[in-house]
Amino acid sequence: MIIGVVGKIAAGKTTIAKFFEEKGFCRVSCSDPLIDLLTHNLSEYSWLPEIPEKSEPTRDKLIEYGRRLKETFGEDILIRLALDKKRKCENVVIDGVRSGGEIEAIKKRGGFIIYVETRPEIRYERLKRRNAGKDKAIKSFEDFLKADEAEEKFYHTSELKDLADFLIVNEGSLEDLKKRVNTIINSLTSGKI
């Protein structure tokens, strides 16, 4: 089974994917292949579309390189690479799905999509707490809104909500989120969809 998790920056995609991982799914992000290719960490792949010049995987670099790969190798290239990286796994959850083409690639393989939605103020606070290297250029709420707007302009993330099989509004506690995810996992694994 393949699950794709879609949402804006810091909406909770990785947290949701980690809950799936706790239930035995292999977790991978769409950005993992980009990071691996940019840092030349290539050993987990059975094939590679290209090997770029080695560089630091900043958010801007990831977006630019991802765009180039999609233009050259197809909209589903990151899904194909993520699934190749986890090819030995029966159940895979992919967080950071960001385009209609990626959603289509997951659904074509019999997968399901979860869209996670969270207000910008909450997402910004989460982004500050997680302190990820790829986010270090975001120093203020205004920077965050600019990055969010740029991502929306490029990926049209909010439009992808209509393609989702499940919607989670993630503005409560971690325990609330876990309950929602477990309900989805139970419905998927019991075949009651």
Side-chain angles (χ1 to χ4, degrees):
M1 179 184 306
I2 303 169
I3 305 297
V5 186
V6 183
K8 293 187 168 224
I9 300 168
K13 299 179 297 293
T14 301
T15 302
I16 289 170
K18 286 179 179 177
F19 290 147
F20 273 88
E21 188 176 37
E22 288 174 9
K23 298 291 186 175
F25 281 71
C26 293
R27 179 173 60 91
V28 64
S29 171
C30 274
S31 61
D32 287 351
L34 295 172
I35 292 167
D36 291 343
L37 286 163
L38 286 169
T39 59
H40 291 189
N41 179 19
L42 311 173
S43 63
E44 294 181 281
Y45 299 91
S46 67
W47 64 278
L48 295 166
E50 66 176 48
I51 300 172
E53 185 178 314
K54 194 172 187 175
S55 65
E56 184 183 354
T58 62
R59 182 174 294 280
D60 288 343
K61 270 241 180 17
L62 293 171
I63 289 170
E64 172 61 32
Y65 184 51
R67 177 182 318 167
R68 198 177 89 233
L69 279 180
K70 287 177 182 186
E71 287 170 359
T72 307
F73 300 100
E75 189 69 31
D76 66 340
I77 185 65
L78 299 181
I79 299 300
R80 288 186 284 142
L81 285 168
L83 290 173
D84 180 58
K85 181 174 180 159
K86 298 297 180 182
R87 66 190 169 281
K88 295 179 178 142
C89 300
E90 186 176 332
N91 297 313
V92 178
V93 60
I94 305 171
D95 82 66
V97 175
R98 283 194 164 69
S99 73
E102 291 174 349
I103 288 173
E104 185 181 319
I106 290 169
K107 288 191 171 203
K108 243 197 285 190
R109 291 166 171 82
F112 299 92
I113 302 298
I114 297 170
Y115 187 93
V116 57
E117 187 171 66
T118 311
R119 287 183 314 223
E121 299 79 12
I122 294 172
R123 293 187 292 115
Y124 175 64
E125 290 304 317
R126 289 178 183 162
L127 180 124
K128 286 191 327 188
R129 279 196 306 271
R130 77 182 182 192
N131 198 23
K134 68 181 179 181
D135 299 325
K136 64 183 168 189
I138 299 174
K139 307 256 189 251
S140 67
F141 186 59
E142 291 72 30
D143 290 345
F144 173 77
L145 290 176
K146 284 179 192 166
D148 203 38
E149 186 179 311
E151 189 172 274
E152 179 64 29
K153 193 175 183 178
F154 182 67
Y155 294 118
H156 309 287
T157 311
S158 41
E159 294 173 21
L160 302 176
K161 181 171 28 174
D162 295 336
L163 303 174
D165 301 293
F166 302 95
L167 171 67
I168 293 176
V169 177
N170 181 22
E171 296 182 348
S173 70
L174 201 55
E175 197 53 44
D176 289 339
L177 179 61
K178 190 170 195 168
K179 283 178 189 168
R180 288 190 183 123
V181 171
N182 283 335
T183 298
I184 292 170
I185 291 170
N186 290 338
S187 71
L188 289 169
T189 55
S190 70
K192 295 179 183 173
I193 309 170

